[in-house]
Amino acid sequence: VENVRLLDRLSSRKAALGTLYLTATHVIFVENGSEARKETWVLHSQISSIEKQATTATGCPLLIRCKNFQVIQLVIPQERDCHDVYISLIRLARPVKYEELYCFSFNPKLDKEEREQGWKLVDLTEEYNRMGVPNNYWQISDVNRDYGVCDSYPTEVYVPKSATAHIIVGSSKFRSRRRFPALSYYCKDNNASICRSSQPLSGFSARCLEDEQMLQAIRKANPGSDFLYVVDTRPKLNAMANRAAGKGYENEDNYSNIKFQFIGIENIHVMRNSLQKMLEVCELKSPSMSDFLWGLENSGWLKHIKAIMDAGIFIAKAVAEEGVSVLVHCSDGWDRTAQVCSVASLLLDPYYRTMKGFMVLIEKDWVSFGHKFNHRYGNLDGDPKEISPVIDQFIECVWQLMEQFPCAFEFNERFLIHIQHHIYSCQFGNFLCNSQKERRELKIQERTYSLWAHLWKNRADYLNPLYRPDHSQTQGTLRPQMAPCNFLYKFWSGMYNRFEKGLHPRQSVTDYLMAVKEETQQLEEELEVLRERLTNLQKSQINDNKVKSKRQDRSKELGLSTSNNCLANTPQEYSNDLKSFPSRSPSQGDEDSALILTQDNLKSSDPDLSANSDQESGVEDLSCRSPSGGGCLPSEDSGKDSDEAVFLAV
Amino acid sequence: MLRSSQPLTGPNRKRCREDEMLLGTVLDEGERGFIVDTRSAQAAKQARMTGGGTEPKSSYPQWKRLHRPLERGRPLQESFIKLVEACNDTSINMDRWLSRLESSRWLSHVKAALSTACLAAQCMDREEASVLVHGAEGTDTTLLVTALAQLILDPSCRTLGGFQGLLEREWIEAGHPFHLRCAHSAYSHARLKQEAPLFLLFLDCVWQLSHQFPFSLEFSERLLLTLFDNAYASAYGTFLCNNEKERRVGCLCKVKESTHSLWAWLNQPGEKKKYLNPLYSHNALVIWPSVEPQSIQLWQGLFFRWIRSSQHLDEAWAEIQQLVDAN
């Protein structure tokens, strides 16, 4: 569709005119006539909702909201075209078959072996070995080798040595969805462990010998403690209500030596609504400080984040300080349980704060343990009540921790943002389906590519320059405060306002420091080489001059001191007097608004930052706008090359 | 950019030829200027009843008046007190914190101050017009706006030396009544009439700039905290009294003869490096901050200074310093 306008949310004045394309996998907006051929690509999988708004004199507005929080406002001149686009997008954004998803057509031009290697990058058996199991207390059980005991669990689970197959099977029958207690994290320093399961089908008075034996086995696997914590991450009321449905929670009287604890994290429906409310605040036009703060509090979002974090902290403390094992569950053991176990693991073990370790953590606690990616993130069209930002909350917990402990993580914010992006993008096969069983049935590893390999390849973009493996912050357990909370939790505008460039500091400290670090390293290496050469050349004087000029050229190439001044910015709308000022002709020296792209500033894995243009077009009033939102999304480059994309010029 | 106090128009719409001429000399034939009045249109009008007022259009035809009300005086002090109370409340839970923060209105004041300064800066930079800033007395919100606008516009104000010069010019010599304004701070129950944290509001706005433009200010947060401390209680004479006259003649002691200057101490090579921003790199451009609520953050380094440990953040800064030094 031609002559479509792409509006900028922060200022309704700067609208880009261009052509809209719909392909089998993307919506693409190509801006007319810009030298840089500015394109905005949106994957259909990212589309969360499409809203057709009332036709105005300028055309028919269409609002596309994405799961990665990008909001695209288009204005299509003809109502008929707008309707066609709307209908098409509705269909495209709601695939019914897995084969419709992008990952099955995405072609990064790797050979079969490279694809396989990519999938092997994260190996859970290796991970459990690293933890220290199997050992005297823990063994691998293959009781679920054909998914016969629990179809949402992996084929290999780790259980206490004294848990026989009979006990496991018996316990599984007493657990919701058959999700029996299994090992999530083992602390070899003190034998304490974190195990996870679903709720017991205890109702008001039902008992199961095998389930009680299972918990005993877990307790006995930790000789250092004579009791076991059982943590139910639900609010007490919800858990009690479940009893009426024949489910519920562990009765301390029936299970010997357990200490039971409710933590009180709300359910997926509450979380879905919370996010919805928060996004509404983000969509407010020119909100006051009051609107924003009230809206944010009203959504309850940060309160929920804190609840998840507090649960993780409680469990980490139990393991690290008390040396007591913990069994965690919620209702089905695949949402809150996953969040809480992974937060606790992250706090306990510095390995999970490395890039590789983090990938392993997600693979372990989310992918292998059957978190329902398809249902929660809508790979396929499904029940809207199953949709919930569960992993998003976990990812935010990690970010909040990064803000409190800036030196503790090997990776940076961009890593988290890209992972979140790809959970929804379906460009890679890691987060498809609802269980390991389904993924194997679909032969995901043979037909798609692994995100981990892709991120690993680009890991230079994801490093935290302040991380040092020998830094005190990176050692041992992280101990965040639980209270007072007023300074602990911030609004993550890098994620929820990701595409609104006007909001963020224009100058990335992370990128700058990484560049400094790299340059220092290069210079040091060079210095070493030169030192050697100098000693060798002490005999002949002729080459000294050549050496000097070489060094000068190198520092000019890197040009660190000048690159950041080019990340300029434009004033946003400070004035409410719309008609007060005369128009300003665009030709008047826009030095401070021109965005000069240098090679240093362009990150291959995050083109959306570089596609941003600060060019000012003629302004009618004093308010100047911030750069338009929406640029290329990570890894879109490969998408563009895909020769399987079918162009449907509507 | 000019600053003044309000014209004494009064209820009878008095005119003053000299004043009109003075402003007239600023503008060329056909040029226009802007007057940024830090009072609401209503408040400015009401000021006439007590002898003050605004510049009538007919007498100052080349000047366009813009009203941008900024809080000052008692309400600003209350805002400050409420914020500090909220920050100190360790029992507060996540359910209530944001609304408590909001009810102090402090961040709204920061937003308003930055917006107004940006407006003044835009008039000069984008419209290439002269600007006159004034409120009522010209000693509070006026200085807030002119000082911030200069930071936004002028890179030389962003150096350590330039910033000190800015403070000397726009706050100390301009006659901000430090003695009255920075008497007891937030914990006092005295509720003095003249007390108001304008200077702190200014420092907070500067901090917001440093947060949004981490490479553009030569000085660090530590300098801002030190200035905050010294405005209220100091071993140095820099922030004493209310204006130059008092410092020279009015005081019991002559300030310049009997006290030491804070700047002299700060600028010693040994001290100076503590106040430098390791990320600083001269930025010749105008820095336009975002005033969206998401961009304006609570200055934790000041408001939680004694409540939370800054250990991890200090370690991060030490890392940054090391990385830069190694290079």
Side-chain angles (χ1 to χ4, degrees):
Chain A
V1 182
E2 293 180 336
N3 295 316
V4 173
R5 294 208 322 279
L6 175 69
L7 302 184
D8 170 27
R9 190 193 79 79
L10 282 181
S11 158
S12 53
R13 254 157 301 283
K14 184 183 186 183
L17 192 66
T19 307
L20 188 71
Y21 297 90
L22 255 59
T23 73
T25 50
H26 292 79
V27 182
I28 309 168
F29 177 82
V30 181
E31 203 171 308
N32 287 345
S34 64
E35 293 150 13
R37 193 182 156 81
K38 180 147 169 255
E39 300 179 356
T40 305
W41 287 57
V42 178
L43 267 172
H44 296 316
S45 342
Q46 287 286 3
I47 298 176
S48 169
S49 72
I50 310 152
E51 192 185 319
K52 220 175 112 189
Q53 294 170 325
T55 308
T56 66
T58 48
C60 205
L62 197 67
L63 193 66
I64 302 173
R65 290 190 180 86
C66 299
K67 301 169 187 174
N68 63 358
F69 313 113
Q70 187 169 16
V71 179
I72 309 232
Q73 171 109 55
L74 299 167
V75 179
I76 298 173
Q78 297 295 328
E79 211 277 327
R80 195 177 52 85
D81 289 335
C82 182
H83 187 74
D84 285 346
V85 171
Y86 175 70
I87 297 293
S88 310
L89 281 180
I90 295 260
R91 175 63 189 86
L92 289 164
R94 295 182 190 165
V96 286
K97 288 197 323 267
Y98 279 111
E99 284 69 23
E100 294 178 58
L101 294 177
Y102 187 31
C103 53
F104 292 101
S105 55
F106 170 60
N107 179 12
K109 309 259 191 333
L110 296 173
D111 62 37
K112 186 158 160 266
E113 201 188 301
E114 285 169 307
R115 189 214 303 255
E116 259 178 57
Q117 279 306 107
W119 284 106
K120 293 207 174 96
L121 187 66
V122 173
D123 180 340
L124 287 183
T125 312
E126 223 178 82
E127 169 54 17
Y128 283 104
N129 286 344
R130 184 199 69 86
M131 275 192 235
V133 294
N135 61 12
N136 291 333
Y137 305 111
W138 295 90
Q139 60 178 339
I140 305 182
S141 169
D142 67 347
V143 73
N144 200 38
R145 64 189 161 281
D146 297 316
Y147 304 106
V149 178
C150 172
D151 63 2
S152 59
Y153 264 9
T155 48
E156 282 186 0
V157 282
Y158 289 75
V159 295
K161 259 285 168 54
S162 55
T164 62
H166 171 77
I167 290 177
I168 298 171
V169 173
S171 168
S172 78
K173 293 192 178 134
F174 195 64
R175 292 274 163 180
S176 175
R177 318 280 182 174
R178 310 286 186 111
R179 291 170 68 88
F180 56 88
L183 181 70
S184 165
Y185 180 72
Y186 171 72
C187 178
K188 57 171 163 278
D189 295 338
N190 60 13
N191 295 312
S193 66
I194 303 176
C195 292
R196 55 185 290 180
S197 70
S198 57
Q199 65 184 320
L201 303 175
S202 50
F204 287 99
S205 58
R207 290 181 70 161
C208 166
L209 179 65
E210 290 82 10
D211 193 73
E212 290 168 28
Q213 287 173 331
M214 187 68 179
L215 266 63
Q216 271 223 49
I218 295 173
R219 183 181 52 79
K220 283 197 272 189
N222 179 8
S225 170
D226 54 12
F227 71 97
L228 172 71
Y229 276 119
V230 175
V231 168
D232 187 330
T233 58
R234 297 170 293 181
K236 184 167 183 183
L237 222 58
N238 297 24
M240 285 172 68
N242 266 280
R243 282 194 304 184
K247 305 180 201 178
Y249 54 94
E250 294 82 349
N251 186 339
E252 271 182 4
D253 296 333
N254 298 341
Y255 290 83
S256 57
N257 303 315
I258 67 162
K259 278 204 188 139
F260 188 84
Q261 184 93 16
F262 280 114
I263 299 267
I265 301 172
E266 300 289 347
N267 66 32
I268 56 168
H269 310 294
V270 173
M271 300 311 192
R272 181 178 57 248
N273 290 329
S274 178
L275 178 65
Q276 179 60 33
K277 284 208 181 124
M278 186 170 73
L279 294 179
E280 279 165 20
V281 175
C282 294
E283 275 190 43
L284 291 174
K285 246 198 144 191
S286 306
S288 66
M289 205 68 221
S290 203
D291 294 335
F292 178 71
L293 292 173
W294 271 109
L296 188 57
E297 181 165 274
N298 232 344
S299 75
W301 182 258
L302 290 178
K303 181 183 70 169
H304 300 312
I305 297 291
K306 178 176 194 297
I308 297 163
M309 191 81 93
D310 285 350
I313 294 172
F314 174 84
I315 293 166
K317 261 208 186 110
V319 169
E321 288 172 30
E322 296 179 61
V324 177
S325 295
V326 186
L327 170 65
V328 189
H329 71 76
C330 44
S331 292
D332 293 324
W334 48 39
D335 293 314
R336 287 164 281 195
T337 301
Q339 291 173 325
V340 157
C341 286
S342 38
V343 169
S345 302
L346 197 69
L347 293 172
L348 284 166
D349 195 331
Y351 176 65
Y352 298 125
R353 293 175 233 136
T354 63
M355 210 178 287
K356 180 85 186 300
F358 191 68
M359 298 183 200
V360 166
L361 182 65
I362 294 184
E363 204 49 51
K364 176 169 68 80
D365 276 316
W366 294 84
V367 178
S368 80
F369 270 103
H371 176 69
K372 297 196 298 174
F373 285 93
N374 177 30
H375 283 178
R376 292 289 173 265
Y377 313 117
N379 308 152
L380 300 182
D381 191 31
D383 181 0
K385 293 225 155 34
E386 290 279 338
I387 303 274
S388 192
V390 183
I391 204 170
D392 305 60
Q393 287 181 320
F394 163 65
I395 291 172
E396 178 163 342
C397 285
V398 183
W399 178 78
Q400 298 283 357
L401 282 170
M402 272 170 51
E403 288 286 295
Q404 291 181 41
F405 300 94
C407 301
F409 292 82
E410 191 190 27
F411 48 85
N412 60 29
E413 181 189 37
R414 183 184 287 130
F415 187 61
L416 296 177
I417 292 179
H418 285 198
I419 291 176
Q420 191 268 2
H421 176 92
H422 283 301
I423 286 167
Y424 290 98
S425 77
C426 301
Q427 184 170 337
F428 299 91
N430 310 61
F431 310 113
L432 255 44
C433 310
N434 288 327
S435 64
Q436 191 191 71
K437 175 170 189 251
E438 284 180 27
R439 278 184 289 275
R440 288 203 184 158
E441 281 167 4
L442 269 179
K443 298 197 175 14
I444 294 292
Q445 294 197 6
E446 286 135 69
R447 300 162 70 191
T448 68
Y449 295 86
S450 169
L451 172 67
W452 304 136
H454 170 80
L455 293 176
W456 189 251
K457 197 168 62 136
N458 293 312
R459 62 188 174 282
D461 294 343
Y462 301 122
L463 292 171
N464 170 16
L466 302 181
Y467 174 79
R468 260 192 299 120
D470 57 346
H471 194 285
S472 61
Q473 263 183 49
T474 68
Q475 308 300 318
T477 312
L478 277 186
R479 279 161 225 267
Q481 285 177 256
M482 271 163 76
C485 65
N486 9 21
F487 50 84
L488 293 173
Y489 297 97
K490 298 189 216 159
F491 172 76
W492 192 6
S493 78
M495 170 67 86
Y496 305 109
N497 292 126
R498 179 179 167 198
F499 295 93
E500 286 163 75
K501 300 299 182 271
L503 252 45
H504 308 301
R506 299 317 188 295
Q507 308 161 300
S508 165
V509 177
T510 301
D511 291 345
Y512 171 73
L513 289 173
M514 278 313 299
V516 168
K517 221 175 173 180
E518 271 172 48
E519 192 195 41
T520 306
Q521 213 171 333
Q522 276 174 16
L523 289 174
E524 277 171 357
E525 285 166 12
E526 218 174 295
L527 195 62
E528 213 25 68
V529 169
L530 291 172
R531 274 202 186 109
E532 278 182 48
R533 217 193 281 176
L534 199 61
T535 50
N536 293 337
L537 292 175
Q538 224 114 51
K539 295 131 192 183
S540 69
Q541 313 285 24
I542 314 156
N543 288 334
D544 276 358
N545 292 332
K546 273 200 214 156
V547 165
K548 259 192 226 156
S549 56
K550 217 179 166 192
R551 242 200 265 151
Q552 279 165 358
D553 289 337
R554 176 50 75 88
S555 49
K556 259 193 235 143
E557 262 169 47
L558 291 164
L560 276 172
S561 53
T562 53
S563 63
N564 289 301
N565 298 332
C566 305
L567 286 169
N569 56 303
T570 46
Q572 65 164 92
E573 201 168 306
Y574 301 117
S575 158
N576 289 323
D577 294 327
L578 302 177
K579 303 286 187 297
S580 314
F581 304 108
S583 59
R584 179 160 185 266
S585 86
S587 60
Q588 294 176 42
D590 279 306
E591 317 88 36
D592 57 334
S593 46
L595 176 68
I596 304 154
L597 299 172
T598 64
Q599 264 322 108
D600 304 68
N601 301 335
L602 288 169
K603 287 279 169 237
S604 55
S605 60
D606 194 0
D608 54 345
L609 282 177
S610 61
N612 174 43
S613 163
D614 283 305
Q615 298 303 333
E616 253 199 299
S617 46
V619 310
E620 221 165 69
D621 60 8
L622 195 58
S623 54
C624 301
R625 59 257 353 100
S626 29
S628 70
C632 280
L633 298 171
S635 322
E636 289 313 312
D637 316 303
S638 351
K640 280 187 237 177
D641 294 333
S642 171
D643 35 12
E644 283 134 75
V646 176
F647 283 81
L648 298 162
V650 177
Chain B
M1 185 160 54
L2 304 140
R3 51 175 157 78
S4 70
S5 53
Q6 64 179 323
L8 300 174
T9 323
N12 300 320
R13 295 174 194 270
K14 272 191 285 182
R15 283 184 71 164
C16 171
R17 298 266 173 240
E18 290 86 348
D19 193 77
E20 291 166 31
M21 274 172 62
L22 184 57
L23 283 186
T25 60
V26 174
L27 300 178
D28 286 337
E29 195 69 46
E31 254 189 6
R32 60 192 286 192
F34 294 97
I35 299 176
V36 175
D37 190 326
T38 60
R39 303 165 295 177
S40 67
Q42 202 192 26
K45 207 167 167 190
Q46 274 174 354
R48 289 211 326 248
M49 300 307 139
T50 47
T54 58
E55 296 82 350
K57 189 109 188 152
S58 47
S59 318
Y60 301 84
Q62 286 172 276
W63 294 87
K64 177 163 171 67
R65 197 166 7 107
L66 303 170
H67 286 277
R68 288 291 178 274
L70 293 180
E71 197 67 86
R72 53 188 284 272
R74 195 75 238 124
L76 191 65
Q77 182 70 6
E78 286 301 332
S79 172
F80 177 40
I81 292 172
K82 258 187 162 170
L83 176 61
V84 172
E85 266 172 13
C87 292
N88 283 339
D89 188 351
T90 52
S91 70
I92 214 171
N93 65 32
M94 214 54 225
D95 271 343
R96 294 279 160 265
W97 160 244
L98 292 174
S99 49
R100 188 89 182 265
L101 175 62
E102 196 288 320
S103 71
S104 76
R105 311 266 314 136
W106 181 260
L107 293 181
S108 298
H109 299 319
V110 172
K111 182 183 197 306
L114 276 173
S115 302
T116 309
C118 285
L119 181 66
Q122 268 187 323
C123 292
M124 294 182 66
D125 184 73
R126 299 278 148 150
E127 297 301 311
E128 291 174 352
S130 293
V131 177
L132 168 66
V133 183
H134 72 73
E137 275 95 70
T139 55
D140 294 279
T141 53
T142 304
L143 305 181
L144 180 57
V145 173
T146 58
L148 277 177
Q150 286 176 62
L151 268 171
I152 288 167
L153 290 166
D154 186 354
S156 69
C157 290
R158 300 181 218 134
T159 63
L160 182 59
F163 185 62
Q164 290 172 31
L166 179 72
L167 291 171
E168 264 295 325
R169 258 189 344 268
E170 295 302 313
W171 285 91
I172 297 171
E173 284 175 14
H176 178 71
F178 279 97
H179 180 69
L180 291 170
R181 298 282 180 268
C182 301
H184 290 161
S185 194
Y187 294 122
S188 164
H189 293 293
R191 301 296 205 260
L192 299 171
K193 225 169 70 127
Q194 289 284 356
E195 172 130 32
L198 269 312
F199 187 59
L200 171 59
L201 184 56
F202 167 69
L203 294 175
D204 195 326
C205 293
V206 177
W207 180 82
Q208 303 291 339
L209 287 175
S210 77
H211 185 256
Q212 294 193 30
F213 298 95
F215 298 91
S216 300
L217 301 182
E218 193 185 22
F219 47 90
S220 65
E221 181 187 51
R222 192 170 169 166
L223 178 68
L224 301 177
L225 292 171
T226 304
L227 290 169
F228 169 69
D229 289 340
N230 280 276
Y232 283 90
S234 181
Y236 303 89
T238 306
F239 290 105
L240 279 182
C241 304
N242 289 311
N243 48 56
E244 281 301 279
K245 180 178 178 191
E246 282 186 22
R247 280 186 270 274
R248 289 196 195 163
V249 182
C251 230
L252 285 173
C253 54
K254 303 215 176 14
V255 169
K256 297 227 164 111
E257 281 90 333
S258 32
T259 66
H260 290 285
S261 157
L262 177 65
W263 310 136
W265 172 65
L266 283 181
N267 289 324
Q268 292 173 88
E271 274 304 303
K272 195 170 169 174
K273 58 174 180 259
K274 297 185 200 166
Y275 302 102
L276 292 175
N277 168 16
L279 296 171
Y280 176 67
S281 144
H282 174 75
N283 180 0
L285 308 174
V286 176
I287 54 177
W288 299 107
S290 158
V291 296
E292 294 293 314
Q294 295 93 319
S295 308
I296 297 182
Q297 310 211 345
L298 182 61
W299 184 7
Q300 292 200 358
L302 183 112
F303 293 105
F304 291 109
R305 192 172 174 194
W306 312 112
I307 299 168
R308 64 125 170 83
S309 159
S310 61
Q311 180 196 349
H312 303 298
L313 299 172
D314 292 340
E315 285 170 359
W317 276 109
E319 268 311 296
I320 294 175
Q321 186 74 62
Q322 261 187 45
L323 283 176
V324 171
D325 287 344
N327 188 256

